[in-house]
Amino acid sequence: MKAFPEDGAEASEGEARAMNAWSVMIVEDDSVTRQRLVRAIKANSRLRLFAAVGTCAEARAAFRNELPTAFLVDIGLPDGSGIELIREVTARDQDVDVMVITVFGDEKHVLSALKAGATGYVLKDSALRDIAQSVVTLIEGGSPISPPIARHLLKRFRQPGNAAPVESGSGGLTERELEVLNLIAKGFSYKEIADLLSLSPQTMPTHIKNIYRKLAVHSRSEAVFEAVQSGLVQLTDVGTASKQRQPA
Amino acid sequence: MVALAFILTTLVIPVAHAAAETFFEPSQATFVMAEGDTPPPLEPSNGQTRSLPDDWNATQPGVGGDGWYRFTLALDEAPRTPWAIHLRRLRMNAAVFVNGGFIGDGGRFTEPMSRNWNRPLYFVVPSGLLRQGDNSIDVRVRDSANVHGGLYGIEIGPHHVLEPRYRWRFFLKVDLIQASMVLAVAMGLVLATFSLRWRQDTTYGWFAGTMLLWSANSTHFFVRDLPISTQAWEWFAQVGTDAFAVLLAISLHRFLDLRRPRTETTMGVYLAVDGLVLSAVGLDRMLAVANILHVGAVAVGTYMIGTLIWHGRRSVPEASSVVIVGSGIVIQSAFGFHDWLLQCGMWPQDHWYLMHYASPALFVMLTWILASRFVQAHRESEALNRDLERRVADKHRELDESYGKLRALEREQAVVRERDRIMRDLHDGLGGHLVSALALVEHGEDAGAVEETLRDALGDLRLVIESLDPDIDDLPVLLGVVRMRIEDRMARQGIRFDWQVKDVPPMSGFAPATSLQVLRIVQEAFANVLKHAGATTIRVRVAPTNGSAPAGVCLEITDDGKGMREGTKGRGLENMRRRAVTIGGELDVTSQIGRGTRVRLWLPLQLPS
C-alpha cells in the first residue's frame, strides 16, 4: 500500500548525490522495462541509480565491492533465479532492501522472494512515480502488503504443524502483528486499522517490514532445520553449521 | 473301568482262593417227569438216571413239562457254616428242595413263566437242613418241549465258597448285558437326537433305530418276569434278532450312500415273512422254525461284509472308516453266526450266547462314524470359510481397483474442466480486451484509449490469476483485494470507503470458479460507483444472514451518489445478476434518484462446487 503520495519531479544526478540520495540497483532482463525503471529512479530526487543490469552475472559483478541501499529485482533472469540473487544479497547485508518486480503480485512470486529476504514488491505496470515512491517508502522502513499475502502469512505463522519449532519472541509474531495481518486480510486500510487498534497509521508499513523480516528468518531456520533433519548438514558447534559430505 | 477292575479283584481272587476249598458238583441225578409242587417219591427204581448237563432236546425230544432231578449228597458231618446251592444254567425255572424242604425257586411257574435261561440261581440252605449222612436234594424244572429245557449244572457247597462263583457268573451274564443295554439306549438316543436335528441325513435315524432295537433285544437276556406271554416274548426275541440285522444293513446303505431300494425291499419282505411264519407256529416248534428263518439274517450279515469289502476297494480315501465300520459289523456278524449255530444245537446248550457281547465293537463303530462325520463337516465348513474369505478379499481388491480408476478418471475430468474454464475465461476476457486494443491501434486511435484498454486487459488478467490464488478462499480477502486495486482511483475521485467487513462463517466450495464470479461482480459494482455514481462514500458491509432458510452471507455495496431511475436495466447489471445465479446466489439492486444505489449480493454458505 502506497500511503504517502509525493510529488516526484525530475532531479539531476548531481542534485541527487548532493542530497545524499539512496543508491538503487536495477536487475531486469527486459530492456524496455529496464529503461522504464531507470527513468523512474532518476525522476525521484531521493534516489540515484547505482547500476542497471540484465543478468545475474552482471549483477554480481556490479555489487562485488559495494552494495547499494536497495535493489529492484526481477525474478525471471536469463542466467539464474532472482531468488538466489536476493538470498546472496541479504546474506551479505541484512539491511539491504530488496524490492521484487512482479507482474501480478501473486503469491508464488512475492512470497518466495519474501522468504528469500526481499522486503517489498512492486507491480511492473505501476506508474513511474509510484514505483519510485515505493522504493523510497521501503528504504524509509515500510513494506507493501496485500490481503492474500496477509492471509498467507497468517496461515503460516498460526499453524501449529510447522516443520521448524517457532520460538515466541524471536521467530513468532506478536499478538498485535497478528491482529494487523488479520485486518489487512479483510481489506481494511492502514488508517482504519490504526483507528481500530489505536496505533499510528505511519507505523503500519514498518510493522509489515518487520513481519517480512521474521518471515525470512523463519524460512532460513526452517531450511536449516530441514537440512539437519535430512542429514545434509551437521551442527558442530552451537550456532554454526557445516556441510557434511554427501553419501556417495 | 475302575469298577470293572474292582469287581475283578474282589471276585477273581476270592474265587482263586476258594478253589482251594471244595464243593460238590454232581454229574448224575435220578430224574422223573411228574406234576406237583412237592418232590415226588423218587427212587433209583422209578426214575431215570440222567447225566448233567442234561438237554431235553437230546434226552427227551418232543416232551415238556415238570421234571424232577434228585441228587443224593453224603456228608461226613453236618455243615457248621451255611451251605448253598448254585444252579449254573437252566432254561426257564427251577425250584430247589433240600431233604424235602423247599428252599427257593426262580420265580413263577405259571404262565408267563419266569425266564432264567441266562441267569444262574443261588439258594442258601437254612442251617440245620443238611445233616450228617445222606441228604436228598431235589430240583424241579419246568420247560416246554423242544426248547432245550433241562438242567445243565449244579454246585453244592459252602456258601463262602460258592457265592463268589455265583456272583462272578451273574456279573458276566447279567450285569454286563444290562450295562451294554444302557449304553445301547444312550447311544440310540444320542443318534436319535442327531437325526432329529439333522434331517437331511437319514443315516443317524437308521442307526438310532438299530441301536434302540438292539437294546430292546438285550432285555431278552435278563428280563425274568414277562409282561406278555412266553410265546409272544419268544416271537419278539427271534424276529427282533433278524430285524436287527436288516436295520443294520439299511443303516450301512445310508452310511455308504448306496441306493439299493430293491435289496431293502427284499429284506423288508423277508422280515414280514419271518414275523408271519413265526406267529403261526406254536412255542414247541418256534425255535426250530426260527433257526431256519435265521438263515436270512446270516445272509444279511454276509451281504454286509461283502458290501464293505467292495466299497473299501473302490473308495480308498475312506479306507480307515471302512475298516472300523467293517470290523464292527464283522464281529457282530461272527458272534451272531455263532449264536445261530448254538441255537441250532451245534454245541451243548450251556455254551454262552455271544452276540450281545459284541456291542462294544458296535459302539466303537458308531462313535467313529459320528466323529468322522463331525470332523468332515467341520473341515468342509472351514474350507468354505477360507474360500469365502478369499473371494471377499478378491472382491475388495477388485473394488479398490475400480475405485482407484474411477478416482483417476474423475481427477482427469476435473483437470480438463478447469482448463476448459480458464481457457474460456481468457478467451472472453483477456482475448477480447487485446483484440479491442489492436483494433484501436489499427484505427490510429489515440494512445490514451489504447492505454486504457490495455490496462483493463491487464486488470482482467490479474482478476483471473487472483481467482486461482488459494489464499483467496473467502469473501473478506476477496473484497480486500478488489479494494486495494481500486483504492487509488477512488481516492483521486474523492470517494472514501466505509469498510464494515466483519468475520463471516467459513464458506465451503469457494473454488476458483466461484472466486472469479464474485471478483467480477464486486469489480463491476465498484467500477460503477467510480464511473457513474458521483458519490463521496462507498459503504461495503458483509454479514452473515440468520433466520430464514438456508444459511448464507450478505454483501452490501451502498453508495451515496445520484442513483438511477428505478427499473433501469443495464447490461452490466444483468451480467452481475447472471453471475450471481451461476454460483447459487442472488443479487438485487435498489436505487432511487438522488438517494444512491445499493447492490446486494447474497451467497449460501455451501456454495455449489
Side-chain angles (χ1 to χ4, degrees):
Chain A
M1 297 261 231
K2 307 135 202 134
F4 311 106
E6 230 191 64
D7 197 16
E10 281 255 7
S12 66
E13 285 228 26
E15 278 179 30
R17 223 174 289 135
M19 276 167 49
N20 239 345
W22 294 311
S23 54
V24 180
M25 178 158 131
I26 298 171
V27 187
E28 165 65 61
D29 59 323
D30 177 46
S31 56
V32 172
T33 316
R34 195 167 60 242
Q35 299 297 344
R36 194 162 175 268
L37 292 172
V38 168
R39 271 207 308 280
I41 299 300
K42 284 192 175 158
N44 192 305
S45 56
R46 316 270 312 271
L47 305 170
R48 66 174 171 86
L49 186 67
F50 179 88
V53 297
T55 63
C56 290
E58 288 170 15
R60 287 192 188 103
F63 65 67
R64 198 200 333 268
N65 299 322
E66 185 196 344
L67 281 177
T69 317
F71 278 83
L72 264 176
V73 181
D74 179 25
I75 293 180
L77 296 166
D79 63 336
S81 160
I83 304 287
E84 267 310 307
L85 211 56
I86 295 171
R87 249 190 228 121
E88 274 178 47
V89 165
T90 47
R92 240 171 89 171
D93 182 356
Q94 276 192 356
D95 286 327
V96 171
D97 279 306
V98 179
M99 198 128 201
V100 150
I101 305 165
T102 161
V103 177
F104 297 111
D106 58 306
E107 170 191 328
K108 184 163 179 288
H109 294 114
V110 172
L111 277 164
S112 48
L114 290 176
K115 285 177 199 163
T119 40
Y121 68 98
V122 68
L123 294 183
K124 213 173 227 186
D125 65 321
S126 308
L128 297 186
R129 195 178 51 209
D130 295 330
I131 293 178
Q133 186 52 54
S134 329
V135 178
V136 168
T137 313
L138 183 67
I139 299 173
E140 282 181 339
S143 298
I145 192 168
S146 73
I149 293 177
R151 170 60 60 89
H152 179 92
L153 289 172
L154 275 173
K155 282 188 200 159
R156 202 173 208 286
F157 279 101
R158 270 206 188 126
Q159 260 168 31
N162 279 339
V166 176
E167 300 143 33
S168 57
S170 56
L173 296 182
T174 65
E175 275 304 311
R176 173 57 46 84
E177 284 167 338
L178 287 171
E179 276 178 59
V180 168
L181 281 180
N182 194 17
L183 291 170
I184 291 175
K186 290 214 244 327
F188 288 88
S189 72
Y190 281 174
K191 185 165 185 316
E192 286 161 357
I193 296 176
D195 287 338
L196 283 169
L197 299 183
S198 317
L199 296 171
S200 153
Q202 282 87 337
T203 62
M204 288 296 151
T206 322
H207 282 305
I208 305 300
K209 193 170 195 178
N210 288 336
I211 293 172
Y212 286 168
R213 285 247 153 80
K214 286 186 184 173
L215 174 68
V217 168
H218 195 211
S219 307
R220 234 176 288 137
S221 57
E222 214 176 55
V224 171
F225 184 76
E226 271 172 30
V228 168
Q229 287 287 77
S230 51
L232 290 170
V233 168
Q234 227 172 21
L235 289 172
T236 48
D237 310 338
V238 172
T240 52
S242 61
K243 261 211 175 111
Q244 209 181 37
R245 191 152 339 161
Q246 291 266 21
Chain B
M1 256 347 215
V2 172
L4 197 62
F6 175 71
I7 289 167
L8 284 173
T9 46
T10 51
L11 294 184
V12 169
I13 294 167
V15 167
H17 180 71
E21 297 212 36
T22 53
F23 54 88
F24 289 97
E25 205 177 329
S27 54
Q28 283 207 334
T30 316
F31 176 80
V32 74
M33 297 284 292
E35 305 271 335
D37 293 334
T38 51
L42 198 56
E43 301 302 329
S45 50
N46 58 350
Q48 313 168 355
T49 310
R50 289 270 174 96
S51 11
L52 295 185
D54 178 31
D55 180 359
W56 286 5
N57 276 34
T59 51
Q60 50 181 65
V63 177
D66 284 296
W68 290 87
Y69 293 82
R70 162 154 303 168
F71 304 90
T72 310
L73 196 66
L75 294 173
D76 292 335
E77 52 175 6
R80 278 188 288 253
T81 59
W83 270 44
I85 297 178
H86 177 205
L87 299 182
R88 277 208 311 268
R89 171 90 199 249
L90 56 146
R91 176 75 185 148
M92 290 300 267
N93 203 1
V96 179
F97 300 82
V98 172
N99 292 329
F102 172 78
I103 63 167
D105 65 19
R108 291 167 57 101
F109 275 93
T110 52
E111 269 294 302
M113 216 159 60
S114 294
R115 300 164 63 85
N116 293 292
W117 70 277
N118 193 46
R119 182 189 288 263
L121 292 177
Y122 192 79
F123 309 102
V124 178
V125 181
S127 55
L129 215 52
L130 283 170
R131 48 182 188 243
Q132 183 190 28
D134 282 349
N135 294 274
S136 61
I137 294 162
D138 295 292
V139 178
R140 171 192 172 194
V141 163
R142 172 185 277 199
D143 281 307
S144 305
N146 298 332
V147 294
H148 295 292
L151 184 64
Y152 293 84
I154 179 170
E155 292 170 356
I156 308 165
H159 168 68
H160 65 271
V161 173
L162 288 187
E163 207 210 2
R165 294 176 61 83
Y166 165 66
R167 287 259 171 260
W168 180 236
R169 204 175 170 88
F170 191 84
F171 167 74
L172 290 178
K173 289 209 134 188
V174 178
D175 291 333
L176 279 184
I177 302 282
Q178 281 180 334
S180 149
M181 188 206 94
V182 167
L183 271 176
V185 169
M187 183 118 249
L189 290 176
V190 165
L191 288 166
T193 314
F194 267 82
S195 85
L196 284 173
R197 297 283 301 200
W198 189 256
R199 299 202 193 215
Q200 289 95 311
D201 194 350
T202 53
T203 313
Y204 301 118
W206 282 103
F207 272 119
T210 310
M211 286 319 287
L212 291 172
L213 180 62
W214 172 258
S215 44
N217 278 357
S218 307
T219 58
H220 179 46
F221 277 67
F222 56 82
V223 166
R224 198 186 74 161
D225 298 307
L226 301 179
I228 54 178
S229 72
T230 309
Q231 175 150 359
W233 186 259
E234 279 290 339
W235 183 89
F236 273 118
Q238 300 304 317
V239 176
T241 313
D242 296 330
F244 169 74
V246 168
L247 280 187
L248 190 60
I250 297 179
S251 306
L252 188 67
H253 279 173
R254 297 288 172 278
F255 173 67
L256 296 176
D257 267 324
L258 298 172
R259 292 202 182 296
R260 294 190 179 168
R262 275 182 314 190
T263 314
E264 288 175 11
T265 319
T266 315
M267 292 196 284
V269 165
Y270 158 69
L271 270 186
V273 166
D274 194 21
L276 281 172
V277 167
L278 280 178
S279 62
V281 169
L283 192 55
D284 55 339
R285 301 224 340 216
M286 192 178 281
L287 269 189
V289 173
N291 284 340
I292 299 169
L293 289 168
H294 282 324
V295 170
V298 170
V300 169
T302 318
Y303 161 74
M304 281 194 279
I305 297 171
T307 307
L308 275 167
I309 295 173
W310 167 82
H311 191 87
R313 281 238 199 89
R314 277 170 37 124
S315 78
V316 175
E318 282 199 36
S320 63
S321 273
V322 168
V323 165
I324 302 269
V325 171
S327 314
I329 290 185
V330 162
I331 292 173
Q332 190 67 54
S333 305
F335 282 23
F337 188 67
H338 164 275
D339 284 8
W340 176 59
L341 290 178
L342 179 54
Q343 193 168 283
C344 290
M346 167 82 83
W347 299 287
Q349 284 306 295
D350 59 348
H351 277 222
W352 292 32
Y353 282 88
L354 294 181
M355 198 158 116
H356 283 253
Y357 292 106
S359 14
L362 272 185
F363 297 144
V364 168
M365 173 182 103
L366 288 170
T367 311
W368 177 268
I369 290 171
L370 279 180
S372 59
R373 290 261 159 135
F374 174 76
V375 166
Q376 184 191 13
H378 206 73
R379 277 207 202 113
E380 272 176 25
S381 142
E382 275 180 6
L384 273 172
N385 267 344
R386 269 197 302 273
D387 187 44
L388 198 68
E389 278 172 13
R390 190 182 42 80
R391 281 201 250 162
V392 167
D394 283 346
K395 272 281 171 264
H396 267 152
R397 255 199 313 276
E398 272 178 43
L399 273 172
D400 280 341
E401 273 177 44
S402 18
Y403 274 137
K405 285 191 198 141
L406 210 69
R407 274 195 296 265
L409 210 67
E410 278 175 11
R411 269 197 300 270
E412 274 179 45
Q413 277 188 338
V415 168
V416 166
R417 269 199 302 265
E418 190 71 351
R419 281 197 195 136
D420 224 23
R421 185 186 70 81
I422 296 174
M423 247 168 41
R424 266 184 284 124
D425 218 78
L426 287 176
H427 178 274
D428 297 339
L430 183 62
H433 280 115
L434 291 177
V435 165
S436 301
L438 196 62
L440 287 171
V441 170
E442 277 178 344
H443 287 152
E445 294 289 338
D446 67 290
V450 177
E451 186 182 325
E452 196 184 317
T453 312
L454 286 177
R455 282 203 190 280
D456 284 344
L458 204 53
D460 195 72
L461 187 59
R462 286 222 172 88
L463 212 73
V464 173
I465 300 240
E466 256 148 24
S467 75
L468 297 171
D469 187 343
D471 282 322
I472 300 187
D473 55 2
D474 69 8
L475 210 45
V477 181
L478 193 149
L479 290 167
V481 159
V482 184
R483 171 180 178 177
M484 198 180 74
R485 269 198 282 106
I486 211 170
E487 179 96 59
D488 283 348
R489 279 184 282 168
M490 290 284 198
R492 273 194 285 265
Q493 295 224 4
I495 308 172
R496 63 165 269 278
F497 274 101
D498 175 13
W499 201 252
Q500 295 180 20
V501 174
K502 293 196 209 25
D503 270 320
V504 293
M507 303 171 79
S508 71
F510 220 87
T514 314
S515 293
L516 191 53
Q517 299 294 37
V518 177
L519 277 167
R520 289 223 160 94
I521 294 172
V522 174
Q523 176 90 321
E524 179 90 30
F526 283 5
N528 284 342
V529 171
L530 194 62
K531 280 187 251 175
H532 309 303
T536 55
T537 311
I538 174 169
R539 186 181 71 200
V540 176
R541 181 156 60 185
V542 175
T545 57
N546 300 319
S548 63
V553 167
C554 188
L555 165 66
E556 261 183 29
I557 303 172
T558 320
D559 71 76
D560 60 354
K562 55 182 191 241
M564 299 178 289
R565 242 202 324 270
E566 262 200 64
T568 313
K569 294 219 189 283
R571 231 186 46 186
L573 288 179
E574 273 315 300
N575 275 345
M576 280 164 64
R577 212 170 265 128
R578 190 180 41 83
R579 289 190 207 283
V581 166
T582 327
I583 54 176
E586 281 168 24
L587 188 131
D588 71 77
V589 180
T590 353
S591 185
Q592 270 188 339
I593 301 279
R595 297 284 211 91
T597 313
R598 185 183 65 196
V599 174
R600 197 155 43 175
L601 169 68
W602 177 84
L603 292 173
L605 278 187
Q606 315 265 23
L607 291 155
S609 48

